[in-house]
Amino acid sequence: MIVVKFGGTSVGDAEAIERAAGIVKGRLDRQPAVVVSALGGATNALLAVGEQAAKGHLIGALRGVETIRSRHLTECENLLRGSEAADEIAADISASFDELASLAEALATLGHATPRSFDAIASFGEILSSQLVAAFFRLRDIPAEHIDARDVFVTDRNFTAAEPQIDEIAERAREVVQPVIQEGRVPVMGGFIGRTADGITTTLGRGGSDYSASLLGAALHADTIEIWTDVDGMLTGDPRVVKGARLIEQIRFDEASELASFGAKVLHPNTIAPAVRLGIPVFIYNSRNPGGNGTRITFDAPRRPVSAIAGKGGVTVVKVGAAKMLFARGFLRQVFEIFERNGVSVDVVATSEVSVSMTVDDATGIESLLVDLSALGDVSVERDLAIVAVVGAAISDSSSAMGRAIGALGDLQIHMVSLSASGINLTIIIDGDALNTAMERLHGEFFSDAEKKRK
Ligand code: ASP
Ligand code: MG
């Protein structure tokens, strides 16, 4: 069997859901189980209702409920017009929104909402999208059966970021989902949502539908997991910045993780770890371009010296110089303890004989960190820098890749260079305003047409 997951934009409106139906229809012989996100933007809109209610703004909250209600009813009408199911599903949708309105009223009266309430509110998005999609699929002769995902995804009580209980999920998936597939039907369920052992609705955290798909795939030992989204897959560079960014057809899981940490927003690799760990390939496809190649993420894709170029701005470098102390035992421990105590996470580290430099992604509130560090040595801070990364699992095996990377940067000033021991990522810290130039030059060096011909 395979898991086919559609993100919010891939079920955003009737047209998108029609495309999704086509995609699933073409895969019926592979026994698909379908996981869907809420209609694109619905989760944000629902959470905004929660925020309004928590502030005691009843009118605003109810207005929000009505806007989301009418969107769902419009899509229901567009999808199911004239069918037998139309009235029943529309009634179900309305009943759900009546329930949501009561919930909003209760919270507005309290003027307070707990994470548990937010999960209850957010869950409506996936509950409704999955019902709608299942009903429409049946209209298109897909033998779809709606399953309440909460009957499968057992979690702990950590509301808004609940931890899935892997063994129980595997058991429920075998009990609830497997038989449907074996009878030749297509289970359709919402991602993102779950339930505690004692029956309280939870969510797996924002973007959690990928996680649901991966957990389901792992539980049922799927042959493949397909994540359908609105981009062609992972690219060799940010197409808004570099010319000729190319699709990466196969990428290693660790490379994908590195790219994600640079804001390559396709998906968060951690969410697919449960499946990738079992050797299940995860594909990213574009639902607007169903014939595309997509990107395949696996543990064992070929190791290339360079798979992609990434970058991000807004980086701050903190440098601690302590000529006498650097070789004293425990110096770095002391430095990192101070970071930990101040709740500041370190990204890239480079040491020299007399100093240690660290980059910080989020430099808000680092003043107390700097005061603490100054007890260890001279502290200096440079803001508005950027990181460019050359990501490739075999970059440290290549005798030329590193030299070419540094050479390609030409006259750009380099503040720090770091290559991790795993050798998957060469990171170079440059001036913030040189970020785009650096990405273009690096991408040109490794992925230009001339380079393609050379290979
Ligand atoms: N609908 C949820 C969100 O927007 C989960 C998801 O789409 O993955 O975060
Ligand atoms: Mg998503």
Side-chain angles (χ1 to χ4, degrees):
M1 59 90 51
I2 62 175
V3 174
V4 182
K5 182 257 169 177
F6 295 100
T9 47
S10 303
V11 290
D13 54 26
E15 229 174 284
I17 297 174
E18 180 82 70
R19 280 193 299 266
I23 289 164
V24 171
K25 243 184 149 170
R27 287 163 166 72
L28 288 178
D29 57 335
R30 298 173 68 196
Q31 300 189 300
V34 175
V35 174
V36 295
S37 287
L39 308 193
T43 308
N44 286 342
L46 287 161
L47 291 173
V49 165
E51 306 278 354
Q52 290 281 318
K55 285 189 213 143
H57 297 170
L58 178 60
I59 309 265
L62 292 181
R63 212 175 272 147
V65 172
E66 291 320 310
T67 308
I68 314 169
R69 183 201 302 260
S70 77
R71 172 166 180 211
H72 281 81
L73 288 174
T74 303
E75 295 312 337
C76 176
E77 166 74 13
N78 291 342
L79 287 165
L80 305 178
R81 197 177 340 226
S83 75
E84 268 172 45
D87 289 345
E88 193 190 316
I89 300 281
D92 279 356
I93 292 176
S94 260
S96 293
F97 281 102
D98 292 345
E99 200 184 311
L100 179 62
S102 318
L103 190 55
E105 257 171 67
L107 296 175
T109 308
L110 286 170
H112 175 72
T114 58
R116 175 173 163 174
S117 319
F118 275 104
D119 274 356
I121 291 175
S123 70
F124 279 90
E126 269 73 6
I127 293 172
L128 293 166
S129 66
S130 56
Q131 286 172 347
L132 213 47
V133 167
F136 180 70
F137 278 13
R138 280 194 295 273
L139 221 56
R140 285 289 176 271
D141 297 323
I142 297 167
E145 180 165 326
H146 180 255
I147 292 177
D148 188 332
R150 295 171 297 177
D151 294 340
V152 177
F153 292 93
V154 185
T155 73
D156 71 2
R157 303 177 58 93
N158 187 20
F159 296 104
T160 73
E163 193 63 45
Q165 311 293 295
I166 305 293
D167 293 340
E168 270 162 88
I169 292 171
E171 208 180 300
R172 300 280 186 98
R174 282 192 297 269
E175 278 169 21
V176 181
V177 186
Q178 188 114 293
V180 174
I181 300 172
Q182 270 158 1
E183 286 160 21
R185 281 172 290 149
V186 176
V188 176
M189 50 213 291
F192 179 55
I193 56 177
R195 191 139 62 193
T196 64
D198 52 348
I200 303 162
T201 297
T202 56
T203 70
L204 304 179
R206 294 309 306 271
S209 293
D210 294 336
Y211 201 9
S212 306
S214 160
L215 290 165
L216 183 67
L220 296 179
H221 297 279
D223 300 322
T224 290
I225 295 172
E226 300 182 350
I227 308 276
W228 288 84
T229 177
D230 55 1
V231 294
D232 283 330
M234 294 197 144
L235 302 177
T236 55
D238 183 340
R240 290 164 304 184
V241 177
V242 306
K243 278 195 274 304
R246 301 208 289 264
L247 183 72
I248 306 173
E249 289 190 10
Q250 275 194 61
I251 192 164
R252 292 170 63 93
F253 179 73
D254 46 8
E255 293 175 326
S257 298
E258 285 296 338
L259 290 176
S261 73
F262 285 91
K265 287 269 160 43
V266 182
L267 58 74
H268 202 292
N270 285 348
T271 62
I272 58 162
V276 179
R277 219 174 278 132
L278 293 180
I280 302 172
V282 176
F283 287 83
I284 300 168
Y285 291 118
N286 188 348
S287 63
R288 290 177 210 276
N289 176 23
N293 255 316
T295 293
R296 174 188 168 131
I297 305 176
T298 60
F299 259 126
D300 54 4
R303 299 172 76 240
R304 279 174 302 241
V306 181
S307 288
I309 307 297
K312 65 182 168 193
V315 169
T316 298
V317 171
V318 177
K319 195 161 127 189
V320 185
K324 293 190 302 291
M325 291 173 74
L326 192 61
F327 288 108
R329 245 176 251 137
F331 177 75
L332 286 177
R333 177 180 52 72
Q334 290 176 45
V335 171
F336 290 127
E337 261 175 15
I338 291 173
F339 273 83
E340 188 184 355
R341 214 184 313 131
N342 284 276
V344 178
S345 73
V346 173
D347 208 8
V348 182
V349 181
T351 57
S352 76
E353 299 245 327
V354 291
S355 71
V356 49
S357 304
M358 292 144 293
T359 69
V360 173
D361 258 357
D362 178 7
T364 46
I366 62 167
E367 285 67 28
S368 70
L369 169 86
L370 300 179
V371 172
D372 290 354
L373 285 173
S374 62
L376 296 180
D378 299 330
V379 177
S380 62
V381 180
E382 264 183 290
R383 294 177 197 265
D384 301 322
L385 299 177
I387 298 183
V388 278
V390 183
V391 175
I395 188 165
S396 54
D397 301 351
S398 156
S399 53
S400 63
M402 266 187 285
R404 284 173 63 195
I406 303 286
L409 290 178
D411 57 354
L412 300 183
Q413 197 193 340
I414 295 175
H415 294 265
M416 252 171 93
V417 176
S418 165
L419 177 68
S420 63
S422 62
I424 191 181
N425 189 359
L426 173 68
T427 40
I428 305 167
I429 316 297
I430 52 172
D431 289 329
D433 54 16
L435 175 59
N436 286 357
T437 309
M439 290 209 283
E440 278 166 6
R441 287 181 183 177
L442 287 170
H443 195 271
E445 174 68 29
F446 293 106
F447 298 104
S448 67
D449 287 342
E451 174 61 20
K452 204 163 150 189
K453 283 190 205 105
R454 242 173 60 174
K455 277 185 187 156

